[in-house]
Amino acid sequence: MDNILIGVDIGGTTIKIGFLTDQGTIINKYEIPTNTIDNGNQIIPDIATSINGKIKELSIKQESILGVGVGAPGFIIGESGIVEEGVNIGWKDVNLGNQLSDQLQMPVFVENDANLAALGENWMGSGNRASNFVAITLGTGVGGGIIANDQLLTGENGTAGEIGHITVAPNGYLCNCGKHGCLETVASATGIVKQALEVIDMKPTSNLNKYVQANGDLTAKDVFDLASNGDTDCLKIIERTGDVLGLVLSNIATIINPSKIVIGGGVSKAGKPLLDAIKHSFNIYALERLTKVCKIDTAQLGNDAGVYGAAYLVIDKFNNK
Ligand code: ZN
């Protein structure tokens, strides 16, 4: 019998939990709601109760469970398992690792959720177990994870790989982090909408403006839909977003020389035009020695990347002991 890994991905509204074999096959996967009242104090007991219930339900023997990996939104301090700041869930300096381990009586390992999405995508998704790998998630924000020489980069205080906060426009839009012009302000879903609103301001006769007048609202997906119908303003937004992403990725590539870069998240659904724009720009900015060994592709695991990565974290920690 294979060993069993438990992967937990804590999000702002739901917690995804998966039971996987150490070969990466999902045995069971489900979600529970994230209870954020009382500064998120219920979250850890909720996870423990749910996992214990599922172990019984699936008749899993305790000794076959290798451990639990958990991804949390926010900054995790090194190997401590402490979530210094949990974005959207109300946590401040919560010792997630120790508390959950005490309640479950199992080894628990903790990592930032974007880093785990990278580990997951590299383990069972489109990374193909690359030694040097970059994953970037373009959602409401922009998340990133970097694997260099087979190690997940975490850095001095858990801030390595925060690709979304690389400055791309020093006088640009205000970012959630308090700085201006981060990649996130351009390449996230919100960034795409901001770019579209700029076009509307400057070109009242644009299709974009007509669309907003008719629908009263605008999402990143609307911009992609208009682009796929050939709207030149929207195509330009995708092109510009791809250009900025290609530039950032070429700079990251200069540091870690990856064989694979994967693009995931809702914005990646802009599809081929965005991917082509990223590749075009990457090839312009990066050294040829970097581009010739590096493939840029879309992510494969979607919302499950975090659960896969959390499960893999357990293997990774045992292997590196
Ligand atoms: Zn920022």
Side-chain angles (χ1 to χ4, degrees), residues 162-167 173-185:
E162 288 288 328
I163 297 170
H165 301 288
I166 289 178
T167 307
Y173 293 116
L174 181 66
C175 181
N176 286 329
C177 71
K179 307 248 176 211
H180 284 267
C182 295
L183 176 64
E184 183 164 300
T185 66

Side-chain angles (χ1 to χ4, degrees), residues 142-175:
V142 171
I146 297 173
I147 293 163
N149 293 346
D150 292 309
Q151 296 282 325
L152 182 68
L153 288 189
T154 53
E156 192 65 28
N157 64 5
T159 323
E162 288 288 328
I163 297 170
H165 301 288
I166 289 178
T167 307
V168 296
N171 300 310
Y173 293 116
L174 181 66
C175 181

Side-chain angles (χ1 to χ4, degrees), residues 1-6 19-28 54-55 58-66:
M1 169 109 190
D2 292 326
N3 285 313
I4 288 173
L5 312 164
I6 301 173
F19 284 66
L20 285 81
T21 69
D22 54 9
Q23 303 301 307
T25 308
I26 291 185
I27 301 164
N28 195 285
K54 190 59 82 173
I55 289 170
L58 298 173
S59 311
I60 289 173
K61 289 200 181 73
Q62 194 88 16
E63 58 268 27
S64 65
I65 300 170
L66 215 54

Side-chain angles (χ1 to χ4, degrees), residues 107-277:
V108 173
F109 306 99
V110 179
E111 189 46 74
N112 164 274
D113 54 358
N115 285 344
L116 289 189
L119 271 189
E121 199 60 55
N122 197 30
W123 183 37
M124 294 305 291
S126 66
N128 252 329
R129 305 179 191 189
S131 293
N132 297 288
F133 176 73
V134 180
I136 182 161
T137 308
L138 311 173
T140 326
V142 171
I146 297 173
I147 293 163
N149 293 346
D150 292 309
Q151 296 282 325
L152 182 68
L153 288 189
T154 53
E156 192 65 28
N157 64 5
T159 323
E162 288 288 328
I163 297 170
H165 301 288
I166 289 178
T167 307
V168 296
N171 300 310
Y173 293 116
L174 181 66
C175 181
N176 286 329
C177 71
K179 307 248 176 211
H180 284 267
C182 295
L183 176 64
E184 183 164 300
T185 66
V186 176
S188 65
T190 357
I192 304 273
V193 171
K194 275 186 194 144
Q195 292 187 62
L197 293 176
E198 231 173 52
V199 171
I200 291 170
D201 264 354
M202 287 189 318
K203 292 171 80 174
T205 57
S206 60
N207 283 336
L208 263 170
N209 196 26
K210 284 180 200 148
Y211 183 89
V212 171
Q213 297 298 329
N215 296 280
D217 196 18
L218 187 71
T219 64
K221 188 181 176 296
D222 297 329
V223 176
F224 304 149
D225 289 346
L226 286 165
S228 65
N229 287 328
D231 181 74
T232 48
D233 291 320
C234 292
L235 281 166
K236 266 192 203 139
I237 291 172
I238 292 181
E239 213 171 279
R240 179 185 171 222
T241 307
D243 183 59
V244 172
L245 280 165
L247 174 66
V248 165
L249 291 172
S250 76
N251 289 334
I252 294 170
T254 310
I255 300 169
I256 73 140
N257 190 186
S259 64
K260 193 90 189 230
I261 297 173
V262 308
I263 322 277
V267 172
S268 69
K269 296 206 164 50
K272 200 172 177 301
L274 179 65
L275 201 61
D276 286 347

